[in-house]
Amino acid sequence: MNCRRCGTPLEKPGDYCLTCNTANADAVVAEFETDRAHLTLLDEDDVVGETTVTTRPEEGERLSEVQLRNFAGRVADEIRRKRPDTVYAAGEREPLRETRAQLHHEFYRVPDGGASGSGGAGERDAATGGGPADADREADVTPVVAWVLDRRGDRSLAVVETPPREKIGGSHSTLIGDRKGRKAVQTVAEHPHVKKIVPGPIDAGGTGSRTGLRAKATRAGANGNVRLLLRDGSSVQENRIVTTAMDRETGERVREDLNEALRDAELQDA
């Protein structure tokens, strides 16, 4: 593959061109398995390349901590070569989490089963009149990549540059669940389409839970905002989340992202 701007040959498809300082891929879709990660490189709605990073667990066991860190490091290095605006990821949680921790890119978790769920290529054709070219293009990619292509319009949502700790405010400053409660709110605050989190009052009259603190982003309202429901024992707290979404549909996409992040943080049942 050559650079789309200056024509310089690239070592790998989608690499950032150091000759003319041009990105040749604006997004990377990473699909993780236990022993490999398949990367699909996108430039707008076009697939410009693919690559696979593999590792080998010892004697068929799951990756050790060192192997996991090294595997994720190799995947992160491949992504850095592209300098994408956005990374989408799906699959095995442990290598996905470790790779995410090693990167500083805008990072989205594709919901489990999201690729075969609502909003796929067929629904888009029915709703927006997408033609045969769209169907042919998506027939050649994995369900995860098809899901991402279907939602590239989320790039129109404003990205909030405010540091996560400065997004938390309101008249109630106490959070239930102590350290885990703070972790849940911090996880939500790190999302690029969350503008503000307003903690609500604590209701101590709920049904008791034996699973420790659980967190869930609830259905989006008509204005695109959602609620973060924290439950710890018999205490329940509903926190308002102000997003950059403009309606219920885009708010639901943010909600899906938030719930995936909370599952990754082990604050939700898988």
Side-chain angles (χ1 to χ4, degrees):
M1 178 180 176
N2 296 332
C3 174
R4 60 187 174 87
R5 181 179 180 186
C6 71
T8 298
L10 303 174
E11 183 178 345
K12 294 185 178 182
D15 277 358
Y16 186 88
C17 180
L18 299 176
T19 301
C20 66
N21 294 321
T22 298
N24 288 283
D26 63 3
V28 174
V29 183
E31 300 176 62
F32 288 91
E33 298 177 32
T34 303
D35 59 353
R36 68 189 59 238
H38 184 74
L39 308 182
T40 302
L41 318 173
L42 303 179
D43 184 29
E44 296 185 349
D45 290 338
D46 296 325
V47 175
V48 297
E50 297 176 281
T51 188
T52 300
V53 179
T54 62
T55 188
R56 180 177 297 175
E58 292 182 356
E59 300 179 357
E61 300 293 331
R62 295 186 68 84
L63 295 176
S64 69
E65 184 176 343
V66 173
Q67 287 176 310
L68 177 64
R69 188 164 57 248
N70 291 341
F71 174 39
R74 291 178 57 208
V75 176
D77 286 343
E78 277 296 326
I79 293 173
R80 292 189 194 98
R81 293 177 64 102
K82 321 306 177 189
R83 302 192 190 181
D85 296 327
T86 310
V87 178
Y88 299 87
E92 285 288 321
R93 294 182 182 276
E94 289 186 356
L96 188 156
R97 285 182 192 141
E98 181 61 32
T99 301
R100 183 175 191 170
Q102 295 189 31
L103 292 171
H104 299 287
H105 297 77
E106 188 175 285
F107 200 106
Y108 293 98
R109 178 74 155 84
V110 176
D112 292 336
S116 57
S118 62
E123 285 192 17
R124 180 177 58 182
D125 290 349
T128 65
D134 290 330
D136 290 344
R137 181 194 66 200
E138 295 197 356
D140 295 331
V141 300
T142 68
V144 172
V145 174
W147 188 95
V148 171
L149 289 171
D150 192 48
R151 285 159 173 77
R152 294 302 306 274
D154 279 358
R155 291 175 297 176
S156 63
L157 292 182
V159 173
V160 180
E161 303 292 347
T162 305
R165 64 182 179 277
E166 296 181 14
K167 295 181 180 180
I168 304 168
S171 57
H172 298 277
S173 59
T174 303
L175 296 169
I176 66 171
D178 298 324
R179 182 178 61 83
K180 284 194 172 182
R182 292 192 297 272
K183 180 180 179 181
V185 171
Q186 176 72 16
T187 298
V188 169
E190 288 173 354
H191 193 280
H193 299 322
V194 168
K195 294 196 291 188
K196 188 174 183 180
I197 302 172
V198 182
I202 298 172
D203 180 0
T207 303
S209 171
R210 299 181 181 180
T211 58
L213 185 127
R214 301 284 88 183
K216 180 180 180 181
T218 63
R219 181 173 172 79
N223 58 1
N225 294 332
V226 300
R227 302 272 175 172
L228 174 64
L229 192 65
L230 300 179
R231 186 183 299 274
D232 185 35
S234 61
S235 298
V236 179
Q237 185 175 24
E238 190 175 80
N239 307 283
R240 185 162 62 95
I241 305 172
V242 182
T243 77
T244 60
M246 68 290 293
D247 53 30
R248 178 174 282 116
E249 180 181 359
T250 50
E252 280 294 289
R253 296 181 184 180
V254 174
R255 180 186 68 83
E256 290 176 356
D257 285 346
L258 295 178
N259 279 327
E260 282 298 326
L262 291 168
R263 276 191 284 275
D264 282 346
E266 300 181 343
L267 295 168
Q268 252 188 41
D269 297 327

